[in-house]
Amino acid sequence: TSSSHPTVASRKSTTPIWLAVRSRCWRSSSFGEFVAADPQHKVWVEADVVHVEIRGHMTEAVALAAIDDFGRAVPLDTSEIFAMHVHLGSMHKHDSAAREAWARSLWGLRKQIREIVIIDGKPLQRMAAAAVALALGVQMRFVTTAKEPAP
């Protein structure tokens, strides 16, 4: 399909990726159903929680594809608060460029993110996710399964 808007991967701008994606993906001001997936990532929404699952090796290209779908899942109304659940149980490796891409693209949403919940994952992956949450100033917690209750 052709589009008059650049793809996330082709952009060379400092504009947050989520903002560029929002400009071409109209959504109502409330969270609606959304699911996007490919073999290396899945993004879906449940109520006011945006889930991101990364599988295998998260390269910068995989991160940018997931960020693109994340941008489609987040509502246009920037006053809405949501939680972000990151499922890392199927991810076995990540590149620093991928982590940096997530940090850059979430920067503009840092006041909108209620908390980041890291589900499963290896210690190094959890530490990288904690660094992103710390840089954003967003509350974060680790759980071993998606069914653990909030504290």
Side-chain angles (χ1 to χ4, degrees), residues 43-87:
V43 177
W44 71 100
V45 176
E46 291 178 340
D48 64 345
V49 178
V50 180
H51 295 265
V52 177
E53 178 183 8
I54 303 293
R55 303 177 196 114
H57 180 182
M58 184 173 65
T59 62
E60 184 177 22
V62 171
L64 290 173
I67 290 165
D68 193 34
D69 288 335
F70 179 85
R72 288 184 180 99
V74 175
L76 284 171
D77 181 351
T78 59
S79 66
E80 289 196 45
I81 305 299
F82 65 93
M84 181 177 179
H85 288 197
V86 183
H87 303 258

Side-chain angles (χ1 to χ4, degrees), residues 1-150:
T1 61
S2 68
S3 171
S4 62
H5 298 281
T7 65
V8 170
S10 70
R11 291 182 340 95
K12 299 294 184 205
S13 169
T14 57
T15 302
I17 292 170
W18 65 270
L19 184 60
V21 171
R22 285 178 172 203
S23 68
R24 62 187 165 93
C25 300
W26 184 86
R27 299 211 25 132
S28 68
S29 63
S30 61
F31 284 89
E33 290 184 23
F34 180 87
V35 177
D38 72 19
Q40 295 181 294
H41 80 275
K42 179 178 179 182
V43 177
W44 71 100
V45 176
E46 291 178 340
D48 64 345
V49 178
V50 180
H51 295 265
V52 177
E53 178 183 8
I54 303 293
R55 303 177 196 114
H57 180 182
M58 184 173 65
T59 62
E60 184 177 22
V62 171
L64 290 173
I67 290 165
D68 193 34
D69 288 335
F70 179 85
R72 288 184 180 99
V74 175
L76 284 171
D77 181 351
T78 59
S79 66
E80 289 196 45
I81 305 299
F82 65 93
M84 181 177 179
H85 288 197
V86 183
H87 303 258
L88 298 178
S90 299
M91 185 172 87
H92 61 76
K93 184 178 178 182
H94 74 278
D95 295 343
S96 60
R99 182 188 70 245
E100 292 164 5
W102 273 107
R104 280 191 316 272
S105 42
L106 293 174
W107 181 256
L109 291 172
R110 66 190 182 282
K111 293 180 181 174
Q112 195 177 346
I113 301 172
R114 178 177 59 246
E115 72 173 340
I116 297 175
V117 178
I118 307 302
I119 302 167
D120 207 0
K122 296 179 174 124
L124 187 59
Q125 297 160 348
R126 292 166 62 139
M127 186 174 70
V132 170
L134 182 63
L136 297 173
V138 174
Q139 180 181 345
M140 187 209 62
R141 63 187 171 100
F142 298 111
V143 297
T144 55
T145 69
K147 300 298 180 196
E148 281 188 38

